[in-house]
Amino acid sequence: MKVIASYNIKGGVGKTTTAVNLAWLAASQGKRTLLWDLDPQGAAGYCLRVKGKGHGKRLLKGKSDAGDVIQNTNYVDLDLLPSDFSYRNADVLLHEEKYPLKRLQKVIKPLKHDYDIIILDCPPGLTLLSEAVFRASDALLVPTLPSILSLRSLKMLLEFRKEKSLKDLQLFAFLNMVDRRKKLHNDVLNSRLRMKSWMLEGYIPYVSELEQIAERREPVFVYAPGGRAAEGYRELWNEINEWLGLTLGS
Ligand SMILES: Nc1ncnc2c1ncn2[C@@H]1O[C@H](COP(=O)(O)OP(=O)(O)OP(=O)(O)O)[C@@H](O)[C@H]1O
Ligand SMILES: [Mg+2]
């Protein structure tokens, strides 16, 4: 089982959209997939038409098992561990624990034989919850806008990973909402940044079909399977799969 977190310090960069679509893609390829919505906004659950039943606090405190809270989605091999509003206090709840950074790991551990992939949809920020996510994950997938501030946040994250000696935590960044009509976007696409080992080659263009995801409440593959977003996500997933293949069994 591998745990991949859709994460960025910044908000509104496409973490949830990415988590929902890649979780669907993994499941469509026969991987038993769980999407854990860690954001009190509950957007991942909303996009998949699954409503939480308010077990967040109990789960984070170790008083409920993930297995009792997980819900089916409309899609084969794709389950959801829904969020609820108690996740807004996740940092406080974790802080009360003896080993806060190990809490998410502990929730996930019993699911080891039930799923091939767990995708975490994270809220923005660099908080105690984020650190617990880093501990629980094999890889961070970081949607990054081709903007100065977004690239700055990515740099901060890379520095944080180094500072905390999280060298086993694989990091995959990719460019999202790319608009080839904009000079800055083209400059970033053609820059040295794209040669970095942690930057995926695939990128997701700015497309209206992804803006529609919360309206359609379905993964983009369901309503626009031949579109540019679906194509971009397939490319990203192929790259991630290569890494999964290399690390299989570890
Ligand atoms: N490539 C894209 N093209 C166009 N719109 C996009 C794209 N990716 C995401 N969006 C839209 O951008 C908005 C923000 O996306 P999303 O909710 O996935 O970001 P987020 O990082 O999860 O936000 P938050 O930090 O609030 O959790 C949504 O309306 C989504 O539909
Ligand atoms: Mg989100």
Side-chain angles (χ1 to χ4, degrees):
M1 182 189 78
K2 290 287 176 198
V3 181
I4 300 176
S6 185
Y7 171 81
N8 195 318
I9 298 174
K10 266 185 92 60
V13 294
K15 298 180 293 295
T16 301
T17 309
T18 300
V20 166
N21 286 311
L22 291 188
W24 184 93
L25 201 51
S28 76
Q29 294 175 352
K31 290 200 161 63
R32 295 164 305 161
T33 306
L34 175 68
L35 175 56
W36 186 357
D37 187 351
L38 287 166
D39 190 329
Q41 296 177 95
Y46 184 82
C47 289
L48 290 172
R49 300 173 187 256
V50 178
K51 206 169 163 9
K53 292 185 183 144
H55 297 287
K57 183 174 174 185
R58 291 184 60 78
L59 185 70
L60 291 175
K61 298 302 283 178
K63 291 184 178 145
S64 286
D65 292 331
D68 299 331
V69 187
I70 288 171
Q71 295 188 39
N72 295 325
T73 68
N74 291 332
Y75 309 102
V76 178
D77 282 331
L78 178 55
D79 289 346
L80 184 90
L81 188 44
S83 171
D84 57 61
F85 216 43
S86 65
Y87 277 74
R88 78 190 190 281
N89 295 320
D91 276 354
V92 179
L93 298 173
L94 291 180
H95 193 72
E96 292 163 356
E97 294 293 306
K98 194 167 174 197
Y99 299 108
L101 299 187
K102 292 190 172 167
R103 207 43 243 152
L104 300 190
Q105 229 170 359
K106 218 166 167 188
V107 173
I108 287 172
K109 206 172 168 198
L111 304 171
K112 209 165 123 185
H113 300 293
D114 299 330
Y115 295 99
D116 301 309
I117 304 262
I118 298 186
I119 295 184
L120 310 179
D121 181 28
C122 303
L126 186 41
T127 61
L128 193 58
L129 177 68
S130 320
E131 282 198 70
V133 163
F134 300 165
R135 289 292 184 96
S137 302
D138 297 293
L140 298 185
L141 183 59
V142 189
T144 302
L145 308 190
S147 74
I148 304 296
L149 290 179
S150 196
L151 294 171
R152 187 171 166 267
S153 296
L154 175 60
K155 199 169 161 227
M156 281 167 70
L157 175 60
L158 288 161
E159 277 163 12
F160 187 83
R161 186 178 65 147
K162 200 169 157 193
E163 210 175 278
K164 296 278 175 178
S165 304
L166 294 163
K167 54 183 184 318
D168 291 338
L169 179 63
Q170 180 74 41
L171 190 143
F172 297 115
F174 69 93
L175 296 175
N176 187 26
M177 303 196 204
V178 174
D179 183 345
R180 301 291 310 246
R181 291 167 305 182
K182 293 185 176 165
K183 182 179 179 307
L184 177 61
H185 290 205
N186 278 312
D187 287 350
V188 174
L189 263 185
N190 299 323
S191 73
R192 282 204 341 251
L193 181 89
R194 298 262 294 147
M195 311 295 282
K196 300 282 188 193
S197 58
W198 38 258
M199 182 60 90
L200 296 175
E201 266 179 51
Y203 67 89
I204 308 292
Y206 190 95
V207 281
S208 64
E209 68 242 34
L210 283 178
E211 282 179 321
Q212 289 166 23
I213 192 165
E215 199 183 316
R216 303 290 304 233
R217 301 182 70 187
E218 291 169 326
V220 74
F221 298 96
V222 175
Y223 59 88
R228 286 162 70 210
E231 186 192 339
Y233 279 126
R234 281 196 194 94
E235 204 175 320
L236 288 183
W237 189 239
N238 286 343
E239 288 184 65
I240 295 165
N241 255 323
E242 261 179 48
W243 166 77
L244 285 173
L246 289 173
T247 56
L248 209 70
S250 63

PDB file of all heavy atoms in Angstrom, residues 110-140:
ATOM      1  N   PRO A 110      -4.051  -0.120   9.984  1.00  0.00           N
ATOM      2  CA  PRO A 110      -4.901  -1.315   9.849  1.00  0.00           C
ATOM      3  C   PRO A 110      -5.505  -1.501   8.459  1.00  0.00           C
ATOM      4  O   PRO A 110      -6.074  -2.546   8.165  1.00  0.00           O
ATOM      5  CB  PRO A 110      -6.021  -1.073  10.883  1.00  0.00           C
ATOM      6  CG  PRO A 110      -5.610   0.088  11.697  1.00  0.00           C
ATOM      7  CD  PRO A 110      -4.599   0.853  10.934  1.00  0.00           C
ATOM      8  N   LEU A 111      -5.376  -0.489   7.588  1.00  0.00           N
ATOM      9  CA  LEU A 111      -5.980  -0.569   6.250  1.00  0.00           C
ATOM     10  C   LEU A 111      -5.013  -1.134   5.201  1.00  0.00           C
ATOM     11  O   LEU A 111      -5.344  -1.248   4.028  1.00  0.00           O
ATOM     12  CB  LEU A 111      -6.429   0.831   5.794  1.00  0.00           C
ATOM     13  CG  LEU A 111      -7.390   1.574   6.723  1.00  0.00           C
ATOM     14  CD1 LEU A 111      -7.574   3.005   6.259  1.00  0.00           C
ATOM     15  CD2 LEU A 111      -8.735   0.844   6.773  1.00  0.00           C
ATOM     16  N   LYS A 112      -3.817  -1.460   5.705  1.00  0.00           N
ATOM     17  CA  LYS A 112      -2.711  -1.871   4.838  1.00  0.00           C
ATOM     18  C   LYS A 112      -3.083  -2.953   3.818  1.00  0.00           C
ATOM     19  O   LYS A 112      -2.645  -2.908   2.672  1.00  0.00           O
ATOM     20  CB  LYS A 112      -1.597  -2.386   5.746  1.00  0.00           C
ATOM     21  CG  LYS A 112      -0.216  -2.214   5.219  1.00  0.00           C
ATOM     22  CD  LYS A 112       0.780  -2.414   6.307  1.00  0.00           C
ATOM     23  CE  LYS A 112       1.742  -3.516   5.912  1.00  0.00           C
ATOM     24  NZ  LYS A 112       2.666  -3.823   7.008  1.00  0.00           N
ATOM     25  N   HIS A 113      -3.899  -3.914   4.262  1.00  0.00           N
ATOM     26  CA  HIS A 113      -4.232  -5.016   3.351  1.00  0.00           C
ATOM     27  C   HIS A 113      -5.532  -4.773   2.585  1.00  0.00           C
ATOM     28  O   HIS A 113      -5.900  -5.556   1.724  1.00  0.00           O
ATOM     29  CB  HIS A 113      -4.306  -6.332   4.133  1.00  0.00           C
ATOM     30  CG  HIS A 113      -3.002  -6.643   4.802  1.00  0.00           C
ATOM     31  ND1 HIS A 113      -1.869  -6.941   4.084  1.00  0.00           N
ATOM     32  CD2 HIS A 113      -2.649  -6.640   6.108  1.00  0.00           C
ATOM     33  CE1 HIS A 113      -0.857  -7.117   4.920  1.00  0.00           C
ATOM     34  NE2 HIS A 113      -1.300  -6.940   6.156  1.00  0.00           N
ATOM     35  N   ASP A 114      -6.214  -3.688   2.917  1.00  0.00           N
ATOM     36  CA  ASP A 114      -7.502  -3.424   2.256  1.00  0.00           C
ATOM     37  C   ASP A 114      -7.365  -2.544   1.018  1.00  0.00           C
ATOM     38  O   ASP A 114      -8.246  -2.533   0.166  1.00  0.00           O
ATOM     39  CB  ASP A 114      -8.465  -2.712   3.234  1.00  0.00           C
ATOM     40  CG  ASP A 114      -8.757  -3.575   4.449  1.00  0.00           C
ATOM     41  OD1 ASP A 114      -8.730  -4.803   4.287  1.00  0.00           O
ATOM     42  OD2 ASP A 114      -8.981  -3.021   5.538  1.00  0.00           O
ATOM     43  N   TYR A 115      -6.284  -1.757   0.967  1.00  0.00           N
ATOM     44  CA  TYR A 115      -6.131  -0.810  -0.145  1.00  0.00           C
ATOM     45  C   TYR A 115      -4.732  -0.884  -0.760  1.00  0.00           C
ATOM     46  O   TYR A 115      -3.753  -1.175  -0.068  1.00  0.00           O
ATOM     47  CB  TYR A 115      -6.388   0.633   0.342  1.00  0.00           C
ATOM     48  CG  TYR A 115      -7.824   0.810   0.782  1.00  0.00           C
ATOM     49  CD1 TYR A 115      -8.173   0.762   2.125  1.00  0.00           C
ATOM     50  CD2 TYR A 115      -8.833   0.986  -0.161  1.00  0.00           C
ATOM     51  CE1 TYR A 115      -9.499   0.883   2.525  1.00  0.00           C
ATOM     52  CE2 TYR A 115     -10.158   1.105   0.223  1.00  0.00           C
ATOM     53  CZ  TYR A 115     -10.485   1.051   1.564  1.00  0.00           C
ATOM     54  OH  TYR A 115     -11.791   1.162   1.949  1.00  0.00           O
ATOM     55  N   ASP A 116      -4.683  -0.581  -2.060  1.00  0.00           N
ATOM     56  CA  ASP A 116      -3.379  -0.475  -2.738  1.00  0.00           C
ATOM     57  C   ASP A 116      -2.856   0.952  -2.635  1.00  0.00           C
ATOM     58  O   ASP A 116      -1.657   1.175  -2.538  1.00  0.00           O
ATOM     59  CB  ASP A 116      -3.530  -0.849  -4.220  1.00  0.00           C
ATOM     60  CG  ASP A 116      -4.060  -2.266  -4.374  1.00  0.00           C
ATOM     61  OD1 ASP A 116      -3.480  -3.177  -3.754  1.00  0.00           O
ATOM     62  OD2 ASP A 116      -5.071  -2.454  -5.079  1.00  0.00           O
ATOM     63  N   ILE A 117      -3.797   1.903  -2.700  1.00  0.00           N
ATOM     64  CA  ILE A 117      -3.416   3.322  -2.682  1.00  0.00           C
ATOM     65  C   ILE A 117      -4.334   4.086  -1.733  1.00  0.00           C
ATOM     66  O   ILE A 117      -5.560   3.907  -1.781  1.00  0.00           O
ATOM     67  CB  ILE A 117      -3.629   3.970  -4.085  1.00  0.00           C
ATOM     68  CG1 ILE A 117      -2.871   3.231  -5.180  1.00  0.00           C
ATOM     69  CG2 ILE A 117      -3.321   5.458  -4.074  1.00  0.00           C
ATOM     70  CD1 ILE A 117      -1.567   3.833  -5.562  1.00  0.00           C
ATOM     71  N   ILE A 118      -3.732   4.924  -0.913  1.00  0.00           N
ATOM     72  CA  ILE A 118      -4.543   5.875  -0.142  1.00  0.00           C
ATOM     73  C   ILE A 118      -4.118   7.277  -0.575  1.00  0.00           C
ATOM     74  O   ILE A 118      -2.924   7.601  -0.575  1.00  0.00           O
ATOM     75  CB  ILE A 118      -4.352   5.691   1.379  1.00  0.00           C
ATOM     76  CG1 ILE A 118      -4.818   4.281   1.794  1.00  0.00           C
ATOM     77  CG2 ILE A 118      -5.132   6.761   2.156  1.00  0.00           C
ATOM     78  CD1 ILE A 118      -4.826   4.023   3.289  1.00  0.00           C
ATOM     79  N   ILE A 119      -5.087   8.074  -0.970  1.00  0.00           N
ATOM     80  CA  ILE A 119      -4.799   9.464  -1.367  1.00  0.00           C
ATOM     81  C   ILE A 119      -5.374  10.379  -0.296  1.00  0.00           C
ATOM     82  O   ILE A 119      -6.537  10.234   0.099  1.00  0.00           O
ATOM     83  CB  ILE A 119      -5.380   9.766  -2.762  1.00  0.00           C
ATOM     84  CG1 ILE A 119      -4.656   8.880  -3.804  1.00  0.00           C
ATOM     85  CG2 ILE A 119      -5.232  11.246  -3.106  1.00  0.00           C
ATOM     86  CD1 ILE A 119      -5.038   9.119  -5.248  1.00  0.00           C
ATOM     87  N   LEU A 120      -4.551  11.290   0.197  1.00  0.00           N
ATOM     88  CA  LEU A 120      -5.001  12.230   1.226  1.00  0.00           C
ATOM     89  C   LEU A 120      -5.270  13.574   0.565  1.00  0.00           C
ATOM     90  O   LEU A 120      -4.389  14.129  -0.105  1.00  0.00           O
ATOM     91  CB  LEU A 120      -3.920  12.414   2.302  1.00  0.00           C
ATOM     92  CG  LEU A 120      -3.319  11.137   2.921  1.00  0.00           C
ATOM     93  CD1 LEU A 120      -2.241  11.515   3.940  1.00  0.00           C
ATOM     94  CD2 LEU A 120      -4.389  10.291   3.584  1.00  0.00           C
ATOM     95  N   ASP A 121      -6.475  14.082   0.748  1.00  0.00           N
ATOM     96  CA  ASP A 121      -6.758  15.442   0.268  1.00  0.00           C
ATOM     97  C   ASP A 121      -6.563  16.386   1.454  1.00  0.00           C
ATOM     98  O   ASP A 121      -7.338  16.374   2.408  1.00  0.00           O
ATOM     99  CB  ASP A 121      -8.185  15.543  -0.284  1.00  0.00           C
ATOM    100  CG  ASP A 121      -8.464  16.951  -0.795  1.00  0.00           C
ATOM    101  OD1 ASP A 121      -7.500  17.627  -1.215  1.00  0.00           O
ATOM    102  OD2 ASP A 121      -9.628  17.386  -0.756  1.00  0.00           O
ATOM    103  N   CYS A 122      -5.499  17.185   1.389  1.00  0.00           N
ATOM    104  CA  CYS A 122      -5.098  17.987   2.548  1.00  0.00           C
ATOM    105  C   CYS A 122      -5.629  19.415   2.464  1.00  0.00           C
ATOM    106  O   CYS A 122      -5.737  19.976   1.371  1.00  0.00           O
ATOM    107  CB  CYS A 122      -3.572  18.060   2.608  1.00  0.00           C
ATOM    108  SG  CYS A 122      -2.821  16.426   2.671  1.00  0.00           S
ATOM    109  N   PRO A 123      -5.892  20.003   3.628  1.00  0.00           N
ATOM    110  CA  PRO A 123      -6.196  21.445   3.625  1.00  0.00           C
ATOM    111  C   PRO A 123      -4.892  22.225   3.411  1.00  0.00           C
ATOM    112  O   PRO A 123      -3.810  21.674   3.619  1.00  0.00           O
ATOM    113  CB  PRO A 123      -6.747  21.689   5.033  1.00  0.00           C
ATOM    114  CG  PRO A 123      -6.182  20.596   5.872  1.00  0.00           C
ATOM    115  CD  PRO A 123      -5.911  19.420   4.961  1.00  0.00           C
ATOM    116  N   PRO A 124      -4.991  23.490   3.010  1.00  0.00           N
ATOM    117  CA  PRO A 124      -3.755  24.268   2.860  1.00  0.00           C
ATOM    118  C   PRO A 124      -3.130  24.559   4.220  1.00  0.00           C
ATOM    119  O   PRO A 124      -3.781  24.386   5.249  1.00  0.00           O
ATOM    120  CB  PRO A 124      -4.250  25.560   2.198  1.00  0.00           C
ATOM    121  CG  PRO A 124      -5.693  25.661   2.552  1.00  0.00           C
ATOM    122  CD  PRO A 124      -6.202  24.255   2.705  1.00  0.00           C
ATOM    123  N   GLY A 125      -1.877  25.018   4.210  1.00  0.00           N
ATOM    124  CA  GLY A 125      -1.210  25.367   5.461  1.00  0.00           C
ATOM    125  C   GLY A 125      -0.007  24.469   5.711  1.00  0.00           C
ATOM    126  O   GLY A 125       0.184  23.463   5.005  1.00  0.00           O
ATOM    127  N   LEU A 126       0.783  24.883   6.682  1.00  0.00           N
ATOM    128  CA  LEU A 126       1.922  24.046   7.100  1.00  0.00           C
ATOM    129  C   LEU A 126       1.805  23.925   8.610  1.00  0.00           C
ATOM    130  O   LEU A 126       2.448  24.644   9.368  1.00  0.00           O
ATOM    131  CB  LEU A 126       3.245  24.685   6.646  1.00  0.00           C
ATOM    132  CG  LEU A 126       4.535  23.910   6.866  1.00  0.00           C
ATOM    133  CD1 LEU A 126       4.383  22.434   6.560  1.00  0.00           C
ATOM    134  CD2 LEU A 126       5.653  24.478   6.020  1.00  0.00           C
ATOM    135  N   THR A 127       0.945  23.038   9.030  1.00  0.00           N
ATOM    136  CA  THR A 127       0.508  22.945  10.417  1.00  0.00           C
ATOM    137  C   THR A 127       0.946  21.606  11.007  1.00  0.00           C
ATOM    138  O   THR A 127       1.616  20.807  10.345  1.00  0.00           O
ATOM    139  CB  THR A 127      -1.025  23.011  10.463  1.00  0.00           C
ATOM    140  OG1 THR A 127      -1.523  21.886   9.712  1.00  0.00           O
ATOM    141  CG2 THR A 127      -1.568  24.289   9.841  1.00  0.00           C
ATOM    142  N   LEU A 128       0.500  21.357  12.228  1.00  0.00           N
ATOM    143  CA  LEU A 128       0.778  20.068  12.861  1.00  0.00           C
ATOM    144  C   LEU A 128       0.158  18.935  12.034  1.00  0.00           C
ATOM    145  O   LEU A 128       0.771  17.882  11.835  1.00  0.00           O
ATOM    146  CB  LEU A 128       0.176  20.090  14.279  1.00  0.00           C
ATOM    147  CG  LEU A 128       0.595  18.986  15.241  1.00  0.00           C
ATOM    148  CD1 LEU A 128       2.097  18.961  15.440  1.00  0.00           C
ATOM    149  CD2 LEU A 128      -0.124  19.155  16.581  1.00  0.00           C
ATOM    150  N   LEU A 129      -1.058  19.187  11.536  1.00  0.00           N
ATOM    151  CA  LEU A 129      -1.710  18.183  10.686  1.00  0.00           C
ATOM    152  C   LEU A 129      -0.856  17.906   9.445  1.00  0.00           C
ATOM    153  O   LEU A 129      -0.689  16.753   9.051  1.00  0.00           O
ATOM    154  CB  LEU A 129      -3.115  18.655  10.263  1.00  0.00           C
ATOM    155  CG  LEU A 129      -3.863  17.715   9.304  1.00  0.00           C
ATOM    156  CD1 LEU A 129      -4.252  16.406   9.988  1.00  0.00           C
ATOM    157  CD2 LEU A 129      -5.123  18.373   8.735  1.00  0.00           C
ATOM    158  N   SER A 130      -0.307  18.978   8.848  1.00  0.00           N
ATOM    159  CA  SER A 130       0.546  18.774   7.661  1.00  0.00           C
ATOM    160  C   SER A 130       1.736  17.890   8.017  1.00  0.00           C
ATOM    161  O   SER A 130       2.101  16.988   7.259  1.00  0.00           O
ATOM    162  CB  SER A 130       1.092  20.094   7.118  1.00  0.00           C
ATOM    163  OG  SER A 130       0.127  21.099   7.155  1.00  0.00           O
ATOM    164  N   GLU A 131       2.334  18.146   9.167  1.00  0.00           N
ATOM    165  CA  GLU A 131       3.498  17.339   9.560  1.00  0.00           C
ATOM    166  C   GLU A 131       3.110  15.880   9.775  1.00  0.00           C
ATOM    167  O   GLU A 131       3.876  14.966   9.463  1.00  0.00           O
ATOM    168  CB  GLU A 131       4.130  17.917  10.820  1.00  0.00           C
ATOM    169  CG  GLU A 131       4.966  19.138  10.528  1.00  0.00           C
ATOM    170  CD  GLU A 131       5.934  19.429  11.675  1.00  0.00           C
ATOM    171  OE1 GLU A 131       6.878  18.659  11.867  1.00  0.00           O
ATOM    172  OE2 GLU A 131       5.702  20.423  12.384  1.00  0.00           O
ATOM    173  N   ALA A 132       1.906  15.674  10.333  1.00  0.00           N
ATOM    174  CA  ALA A 132       1.424  14.301  10.510  1.00  0.00           C
ATOM    175  C   ALA A 132       1.188  13.653   9.140  1.00  0.00           C
ATOM    176  O   ALA A 132       1.446  12.465   8.953  1.00  0.00           O
ATOM    177  CB  ALA A 132       0.148  14.298  11.345  1.00  0.00           C
ATOM    178  N   VAL A 133       0.720  14.458   8.184  1.00  0.00           N
ATOM    179  CA  VAL A 133       0.542  13.972   6.808  1.00  0.00           C
ATOM    180  C   VAL A 133       1.901  13.551   6.236  1.00  0.00           C
ATOM    181  O   VAL A 133       2.032  12.491   5.623  1.00  0.00           O
ATOM    182  CB  VAL A 133      -0.103  15.073   5.922  1.00  0.00           C
ATOM    183  CG1 VAL A 133       0.076  14.780   4.440  1.00  0.00           C
ATOM    184  CG2 VAL A 133      -1.580  15.231   6.255  1.00  0.00           C
ATOM    185  N   PHE A 134       2.929  14.376   6.449  1.00  0.00           N
ATOM    186  CA  PHE A 134       4.254  14.060   5.902  1.00  0.00           C
ATOM    187  C   PHE A 134       4.753  12.720   6.457  1.00  0.00           C
ATOM    188  O   PHE A 134       5.362  11.930   5.756  1.00  0.00           O
ATOM    189  CB  PHE A 134       5.279  15.156   6.232  1.00  0.00           C
ATOM    190  CG  PHE A 134       4.925  16.525   5.685  1.00  0.00           C
ATOM    191  CD1 PHE A 134       5.569  17.664   6.153  1.00  0.00           C
ATOM    192  CD2 PHE A 134       3.954  16.670   4.709  1.00  0.00           C
ATOM    193  CE1 PHE A 134       5.248  18.922   5.655  1.00  0.00           C
ATOM    194  CE2 PHE A 134       3.621  17.923   4.201  1.00  0.00           C
ATOM    195  CZ  PHE A 134       4.271  19.055   4.684  1.00  0.00           C
ATOM    196  N   ARG A 135       4.480  12.504   7.750  1.00  0.00           N
ATOM    197  CA  ARG A 135       4.927  11.253   8.381  1.00  0.00           C
ATOM    198  C   ARG A 135       4.180  10.037   7.830  1.00  0.00           C
ATOM    199  O   ARG A 135       4.730   8.951   7.734  1.00  0.00           O
ATOM    200  CB  ARG A 135       4.684  11.294   9.898  1.00  0.00           C
ATOM    201  CG  ARG A 135       5.597  12.224  10.639  1.00  0.00           C
ATOM    202  CD  ARG A 135       7.038  11.678  10.608  1.00  0.00           C
ATOM    203  NE  ARG A 135       7.879  12.534  11.417  1.00  0.00           N
ATOM    204  CZ  ARG A 135       8.178  12.285  12.685  1.00  0.00           C
ATOM    205  NH1 ARG A 135       7.729  11.203  13.279  1.00  0.00           N
ATOM    206  NH2 ARG A 135       8.933  13.118  13.358  1.00  0.00           N
ATOM    207  N   ALA A 136       2.896  10.268   7.511  1.00  0.00           N
ATOM    208  CA  ALA A 136       2.052   9.134   7.101  1.00  0.00           C
ATOM    209  C   ALA A 136       2.198   8.812   5.612  1.00  0.00           C
ATOM    210  O   ALA A 136       1.771   7.755   5.167  1.00  0.00           O
ATOM    211  CB  ALA A 136       0.588   9.457   7.412  1.00  0.00           C
ATOM    212  N   SER A 137       2.809   9.728   4.841  1.00  0.00           N
ATOM    213  CA  SER A 137       2.788   9.590   3.376  1.00  0.00           C
ATOM    214  C   SER A 137       4.097   9.036   2.823  1.00  0.00           C
ATOM    215  O   SER A 137       5.174   9.263   3.377  1.00  0.00           O
ATOM    216  CB  SER A 137       2.540  10.956   2.725  1.00  0.00           C
ATOM    217  OG  SER A 137       1.332  11.497   3.196  1.00  0.00           O
ATOM    218  N   ASP A 138       3.968   8.346   1.700  1.00  0.00           N
ATOM    219  CA  ASP A 138       5.156   7.955   0.945  1.00  0.00           C
ATOM    220  C   ASP A 138       5.543   9.055  -0.025  1.00  0.00           C
ATOM    221  O   ASP A 138       6.712   9.209  -0.357  1.00  0.00           O
ATOM    222  CB  ASP A 138       4.858   6.676   0.144  1.00  0.00           C
ATOM    223  CG  ASP A 138       4.542   5.510   1.065  1.00  0.00           C
ATOM    224  OD1 ASP A 138       5.449   5.082   1.780  1.00  0.00           O
ATOM    225  OD2 ASP A 138       3.382   5.063   1.096  1.00  0.00           O
ATOM    226  N   ALA A 139       4.554   9.801  -0.489  1.00  0.00           N
ATOM    227  CA  ALA A 139       4.836  10.857  -1.468  1.00  0.00           C
ATOM    228  C   ALA A 139       3.869  12.014  -1.301  1.00  0.00           C
ATOM    229  O   ALA A 139       2.715  11.827  -0.923  1.00  0.00           O
ATOM    230  CB  ALA A 139       4.725  10.298  -2.884  1.00  0.00           C
ATOM    231  N   LEU A 140       4.385  13.208  -1.598  1.00  0.00           N
ATOM    232  CA  LEU A 140       3.526  14.393  -1.677  1.00  0.00           C
ATOM    233  C   LEU A 140       3.363  14.751  -3.139  1.00  0.00           C
ATOM    234  O   LEU A 140       4.358  14.796  -3.879  1.00  0.00           O
ATOM    235  CB  LEU A 140       4.178  15.598  -0.981  1.00  0.00           C
ATOM    236  CG  LEU A 140       4.465  15.532   0.507  1.00  0.00           C
ATOM    237  CD1 LEU A 140       5.007  16.888   0.974  1.00  0.00           C
ATOM    238  CD2 LEU A 140       3.231  15.142   1.286  1.00  0.00           C
TER     239      LEU A 140
END
